[in-house]
Amino acid sequence: MGDRTLRRPLLWVVSAWASGILLAYSVPVSPGAAGGLSLILVMAVGWQAWREWRGESGLAGAEAMSLLLLLGVVLGGACAWSADREKLAAWPLLRYRSFGAERREPLLLEGVVLSCYRRPPDKREGWEVVLRPERWQSTPGSYALSLPSARGLVWQEVQPPALVLLYVFAQPARAADPTGAGARGRPGEQAASVCSGNLASLLPGDRIRVAVELRRPEGDGNPGDFSFAAYLARRRILAVAYADSSDVAVLVGSRAGGLKLAASRYLTLGRRWFLRQATKNLPQPFSALAAGVILGDKEEMTEAMEEAFRRSGLSHLLSVSGLHVGLLAGLLYLLSKSLRLSSCFRRLLIVVGVAAYVGLCGASPPATRAGLMITVFTLLGEDRSLERVNLLAASALFMLMRDPFLLHDLGFQLSFAATAGLLLWSGRLWSLLAHWHPWFGGQVGASLAVTLVAQLSTLPIIWAAFSEVAVWGLLASLLVTPVMGAVVPLASIHAICAALPGIGWLEWISRMLLLLPLRYSWAILEAVGRLPVSLVRLPPPPPGAILVLAALAVRLAMIQRGGFQLPFHHLRPVRPPGAVIIRGLAAVLVLICLGSSLSEIRKGRHLLHVYFFDVGQGDAALLLPEGGRGILVDTGPAYAAERLVAAVQRVTGTKQLEAVFLSHAHDDHMGGLPVVLTRLQVKRVWYGPGITASPELQHASVPAAQLEAGDWQHLPGGLTVEVLWPGKDAPEWSENNRSLVLLFTYGLVGLLFPGDLESSGQQALCTDIAGRQLRSRGAADLLRVLKVPHHGGRTAWWKPFYRQIWPPEVAVISVGRNSFGHPDRHVTASLAETGLVLRTDLFGAVHLITDGQRLIVEVWVRDEVGLRRPRSLRLWDSQTAVPNRT
């Protein structure tokens, strides 16, 4: 593998450690067994190395020893990840979390604040507080907070520790307890006074008491969803809670100790002061833009601004990374040179300055990686010849050993992928460009090479995470990134000028200078956002393709530089044939991955796929027939519209829909229609009575038609739909009872969508002509699927409908968090007597697959802690399993 490979031993070690983490992430691994076996292997290799050092005959060669060592490291990584996950799974408050529509009683928590950020200006006013609960008790919060003393409360300690994300919304401040006895601290501590309602000055280390209902983080119920639960679990946050500021008691005089909390406290104060001075007198949106670029602060960043960065492919500029830290280190180096500091003081200045900046930025993974590399490089000496890839691997190994969950962090992945690409490929690409045209031999070619390599290195990760690519990302990065580099020093100068009194004219000059790059960058962002086709959605890559590509990239980087003539001189490489073969295989693999990804959305198109999406308290289902486009039945509530559109595009791989059926005019069934019509290409809309006056349909540019009982349609792929209800007397009924009742038939499988039809409507349906047809179909030898009406509410239960008319083999209840008591326990228990009952709040999206003869049910299983990605699980097969019957 050459000398270059031998100089990079840590690259193999960190790859083995990361492989162990991925192994434990994919399959359950016992931390005790993995750790013990890892220790045995490492000790065996050490013993063998000791024998060889003493000159005794070895039992194994260097290759076998290396293999055993790497295997031990793999098991060590698996042990570390599994052990950390088991600690989280043992958190005692897990069983007290509300999940889906199930609600639990509030708990009284007392804990330490780790961070507090104000919510963005376009959201409800309030704060996001990360709380580490230390003790809890189950007394209702409104009663406990009003107690004259806390000594009588029975507290339980929270061990092992985990975190809670607390959303506190601004409310008028409640009068504080004048006696100071409203919230006493721990036994033996001095009584603490209570300050309620104002959290603007809350700092790390402060203790608070709050009564809240803990909830499991949501947002991963559909295939391809961003898992908010997994994102929080990687930060050790296992629950979210909501409270008004008037219900939060800040325990004054009961601050938590510890060096880490003290450092975080002072860094938070410094961060707030610096941002206040650096953005002083800056108008919006430039104030928010400067704060985001300087320290990655998004408190003033609206969703529209973040969307502009996403569409232009520049979201990485809002995360402090190697660009920012490296620029600061360079400025500190120039400053120390100009001051003629000694080598020792110069290194100390750079290390301390970089460490302070990383701390001010919140020690994000990209900033930490850059800080570690610069610190090691500075301490070892700027003039020494260092293998920088080895240094990058050492930084990754240190961070992953300290926190194995970082491997799943998107910022960590993008940072190391971009840095590795720059170290391995930017010089070669620059050389290629310089040989192609002399004009690229200067700074222009270097900037182009760096930008291209960074974009291509992170493209597979972005593809896998978001299934979208910013078309104009490369152009925007070339135009904006060099200018953004001037924002950090100019903002620092502006902060100093704004802090010094009596020099208003100098502060005005520094502000005008800072506004120049900000105005230019914002103009580019707006211009790119107006360009056509800013974002292109791609189908998800096949499993394992990203890892294979990463492994090939590492292997190609280990090939020594040789006499490869650039650019493609005579199309004859002088490099050894093995290198050419490996490069060719890499290119072929890329094409195979792309082709298999495109074919992924077409596999099984001879089947009918039915998805009941998780849209909270609402209904939305997609039918994907053979050779046709998707058919959407209801569009869910407005707050889940974006998630619905993303899920539809994820499973279909296209923006086109054959039709949208709307059952009735309630928001939980058609609130997402405006977003669906805007973001997707809908061929036709069909609706029931009561939706004619809908403004969304009146202004839509798609054909729309009303349906009533007796209508039927032949849909693509052999799918038919019949309208069973309502008839011409629809205006006499309530809105729920005017719901379209749709029967989709595919071979011997019938799928009934009754909207929110209540018991009175069910009785009328069953006495109508269509009801008699439904009864005859129900008696036939069909595999019956039912979307349970009205989210399983008691008002939608008429027993004969579920027993004689349409007894389902599979009953799907689309439900989310609500205050109506949906689904009713009697309804779910009665349905479970005759078939399989699936709830979207518990199982996430429900996937049905049928060929017209056989029915298969799959669900997306969600890990309790949230660290494991939702996985598809085959739950029921009509040929091999029969639902429980009484």
Side-chain angles (χ1 to χ4, degrees):
M1 287 181 280
D3 295 338
R4 181 171 293 273
T5 302
L6 296 178
R7 290 164 56 192
R8 298 170 178 170
L10 286 180
L11 189 61
W12 295 98
V13 176
V14 72
S15 299
W17 188 268
S19 300
I21 294 175
L22 292 176
L23 173 65
Y25 176 70
S26 303
V27 297
V29 174
S30 170
L37 187 55
S38 172
L39 183 61
I40 292 174
L41 291 175
V42 172
M43 290 179 63
V45 171
W47 175 73
Q48 179 68 10
W50 180 72
R51 291 194 60 188
E52 290 189 358
W53 179 74
R54 293 189 58 184
E56 300 179 9
S57 59
L59 299 179
E63 292 80 3
M65 291 176 58
S66 299
L67 184 61
L68 290 177
L69 178 62
L70 292 178
L71 181 58
V73 175
V74 169
L75 294 174
C79 170
W81 192 93
S82 298
D84 278 8
R85 186 191 174 280
E86 284 194 359
K87 290 180 182 178
L88 293 183
W91 193 47
L93 300 183
L94 274 181
R95 62 182 180 271
Y96 296 101
R97 299 182 306 175
S98 299
F99 183 61
E102 304 294 339
R103 308 187 68 171
R104 297 185 181 274
E105 292 297 324
L107 301 177
L108 185 64
L109 302 180
E110 184 180 300
V112 178
V113 173
L114 299 187
S115 66
C116 179
Y117 294 97
R118 186 176 293 276
R119 288 168 60 81
D122 56 342
K123 297 183 181 295
R124 183 180 173 185
E125 183 182 1
W127 299 266
E128 296 181 8
V129 180
V130 176
L131 178 68
R132 185 183 67 201
E134 293 184 325
R135 54 183 186 170
W136 67 279
Q137 57 94 20
S138 57
T139 303
S142 58
Y143 171 72
L145 287 176
S146 62
L147 288 177
S149 173
R151 291 180 177 176
L153 301 180
V154 180
W155 292 96
Q156 300 186 50
E157 300 295 325
V158 181
Q159 289 294 336
L163 309 179
V164 172
L165 178 60
L166 179 62
Y167 294 95
V168 183
F169 301 112
Q171 293 288 338
R174 185 176 58 186
D177 185 357
T179 65
R184 297 185 181 274
R186 300 173 183 275
E189 289 184 352
Q190 183 180 0
S193 61
V194 178
C195 296
S196 300
N198 182 17
L199 305 182
S201 59
L202 204 61
L203 292 171
D206 291 341
R207 278 197 171 94
I208 64 173
R209 178 179 297 160
V210 59
V212 289
E213 175 193 355
L214 297 181
R215 306 181 190 178
R216 183 195 184 275
E218 299 178 352
D220 57 359
N222 295 321
D225 260 355
F226 168 73
S227 179
F228 188 53
Y231 167 76
L232 292 181
R234 290 192 291 267
R235 301 170 57 193
R236 273 70 177 179
I237 299 174
L238 298 185
V240 296
Y242 300 85
D244 292 334
S245 59
S246 58
D247 295 326
V248 178
V250 182
L251 307 183
V252 180
S254 183
R255 184 182 303 168
L259 180 60
K260 185 176 180 180
L261 281 174
S264 179
R265 188 179 187 89
Y266 288 112
L267 285 172
T268 300
L269 289 172
R271 175 191 181 93
R272 292 177 180 177
W273 177 88
F274 181 76
L275 285 176
R276 187 166 57 251
Q277 301 300 327
T279 60
K280 188 175 182 180
N281 296 327
L282 288 179
Q284 290 290 3
F286 308 112
S287 175
L289 183 60
V293 173
I294 298 169
L295 294 180
D297 185 271
K298 298 182 181 179
E299 288 190 3
E300 300 297 327
M301 191 80 62
T302 63
E303 289 188 1
M305 295 182 66
E306 292 194 47
E307 178 69 13
F309 276 91
R310 186 176 72 91
R311 296 182 68 86
S312 58
L314 297 176
S315 297
H316 61 279
L317 294 180
L318 298 178
S319 174
V320 176
S321 59
L323 173 66
H324 305 72
V325 181
L327 181 61
L328 176 67
L331 292 175
L332 293 175
Y333 179 81
L334 294 177
L335 178 62
S336 62
K337 279 286 190 179
S338 62
L339 296 176
R340 298 184 179 181
L341 298 178
S342 64
S343 176
C344 180
F345 282 103
R346 182 169 64 247
R347 296 176 187 178
L348 181 62
L349 176 64
I350 295 174
V351 170
V352 172
V354 166
Y357 183 62
V358 171
L360 288 174
C361 299
S364 62
T368 303
R369 188 270 312 161
L372 283 174
M373 294 186 66
I374 291 175
T375 298
V376 174
F377 189 78
T378 302
L379 293 178
L380 293 182
E382 303 93 334
D383 299 329
R384 295 194 180 187
S385 177
L386 293 176
E387 177 53 62
R388 300 188 181 186
V389 175
N390 217 32
L391 181 59
L392 177 68
S395 302
L397 182 62
F398 172 79
M399 295 176 67
L400 290 178
M401 292 183 70
R402 183 175 175 271
D403 184 4
F405 297 162
L406 277 179
L407 186 63
H408 311 301
D409 186 88
L410 187 60
F412 177 90
Q413 297 170 5
L414 293 175
S415 176
F416 277 91
T419 306
L422 293 175
L423 292 178
L424 298 173
W425 298 110
S426 60
R428 301 183 186 186
L429 182 58
W430 187 16
S431 175
L432 175 65
L433 293 174
H435 280 78
W436 182 52
H437 197 285
W439 189 66
F440 291 107
Q443 190 62 36
V444 174
S447 300
L448 181 60
V450 168
T451 305
L452 277 172
V453 169
Q455 294 278 344
L456 293 176
S457 300
T458 57
L459 179 61
I461 300 175
I462 295 175
W463 176 19
F466 303 109
S467 296
E468 64 182 21
V469 175
V471 177
W472 308 104
L474 176 60
L475 176 62
S477 183
L478 286 172
L479 294 175
V480 174
T481 302
V483 177
M484 280 296 188
V487 172
V488 176
L490 289 177
S492 302
I493 296 173
H494 179 60
I496 296 173
C497 295
L500 296 177
I503 53 171
W505 61 273
L506 194 57
E507 185 269 338
W508 180 87
I509 294 176
S510 64
R511 184 172 74 251
M512 291 299 103
L513 291 176
L514 177 58
L515 280 173
L516 289 177
L518 293 177
R519 291 184 185 276
Y520 167 80
S521 302
W522 185 246
I524 296 296
L525 287 172
E526 289 185 319
V528 171
R530 289 193 295 265
L531 292 175
V533 198
S534 298
L535 287 176
V536 173
R537 295 197 64 87
L538 298 174
I546 303 300
L547 293 179
V548 174
L549 286 174
L552 272 180
V554 172
R555 180 64 188 92
L556 291 175
M558 295 175 181
I559 300 175
Q560 297 184 18
R561 298 187 185 184
F564 191 81
Q565 298 183 1
L566 302 173
F568 315 111
H569 185 66
H570 303 303
L571 299 179
R572 290 190 309 163
V574 185
R575 189 183 295 274
V580 180
I581 294 174
I582 292 177
R583 287 179 177 236
L585 289 176
V588 171
L589 183 61
V590 171
L591 295 177
I592 291 176
C593 290
L594 182 61
S596 57
S597 176
L598 292 173
S599 64
E600 185 79 10
I601 63 173
R602 296 182 173 86
K603 68 178 182 179
R605 282 302 184 97
H606 61 287
L607 305 173
L608 172 67
H609 297 261
V610 184
Y611 298 87
F612 295 87
F613 291 120
D614 176 16
V615 291
Q617 182 68 4
D619 280 12
L622 179 75
L623 293 87
L624 193 59
E626 173 189 357
R629 297 185 293 185
I631 298 162
L632 193 62
V633 181
D634 285 331
T635 60
Y639 64 80
E642 294 291 343
R643 287 184 59 211
L644 173 63
V645 169
V648 169
Q649 291 185 264
R650 186 85 179 187
V651 300
T652 63
T654 179
K655 292 185 176 182
Q656 299 178 346
L657 286 178
E658 178 68 26
V660 173
F661 288 88
L662 301 173
S663 62
H664 62 292
H666 282 167
D667 179 75
D668 57 340
H669 287 255
M670 63 170 293
L673 181 62
V675 176
V676 169
L677 295 179
T678 302
R679 299 280 301 276
L680 301 176
Q681 300 172 10
V682 181
K683 186 177 179 181
R684 180 178 293 275
V685 175
W686 277 301
Y687 57 89
I691 308 183
T692 306
S694 171
E696 292 83 5
L697 289 179
Q698 290 179 351
H699 296 89
S701 59
V702 298
Q706 182 174 319
L707 297 175
E708 61 181 27
D711 293 338
W712 59 272
Q713 297 288 335
H714 282 300
L715 298 173
L719 184 66
T720 61
V721 58
E722 297 179 66
V723 182
L724 303 179
W725 179 268
K728 297 184 181 298
D729 58 346
E732 301 177 3
W733 295 95
S734 65
E735 189 62 50
N736 283 341
N737 283 325
R738 285 192 293 176
S739 297
L740 276 181
V741 177
L742 303 172
L743 176 61
F744 291 90
T745 306
Y746 188 77
L748 295 180
V749 177
L751 302 102
L752 188 65
F753 290 82
D756 278 350
L757 195 68
E758 297 178 349
S759 56
S760 57
Q762 295 169 15
Q763 297 179 45
L765 167 65
C766 295
T767 58
D768 193 41
I769 297 177
R772 291 194 291 272
Q773 295 176 352
L774 178 62
R775 185 181 295 107
S776 64
R777 287 182 178 275
D781 188 18
L782 287 178
L783 286 170
R784 292 172 294 276
V785 178
L786 173 67
K787 197 285 300 181
V788 179
H790 209 198
H791 321 290
R794 187 64 179 267
T795 60
W797 176 260
W798 184 55
K799 189 173 182 179
F801 178 78
Y802 301 91
R803 288 291 187 267
Q804 289 86 32
I805 308 303
W806 193 262
E809 274 81 13
V810 178
V812 181
I813 303 177
S814 184
V815 65
R817 185 178 180 85
N818 64 87
S819 58
F820 308 109
H822 298 162
D824 183 79
R825 294 183 179 179
H826 170 75
V827 173
T828 55
S830 299
L831 288 171
E833 295 176 358
T834 59
L836 180 69
V837 180
L838 302 171
R839 293 169 47 177
T840 58
D841 63 326
L842 300 181
F843 291 94
V846 178
H847 182 201
L848 276 60
I849 309 171
T850 179
D851 59 356
Q853 307 290 329
R854 175 185 181 187
L855 183 63
I856 297 173
V857 178
E858 292 183 343
V859 295
W860 276 262
V861 180
R862 292 177 280 189
D863 178 69
E864 183 183 27
V865 173
L867 283 171
R868 295 184 188 273
R869 186 174 301 172
R871 287 164 168 78
S872 177
L873 173 67
R874 180 164 295 184
L875 192 64
W876 186 73
D877 190 326
S878 61
Q879 288 190 356
T880 60
V882 177
N884 294 328
R885 300 179 183 272
T886 56

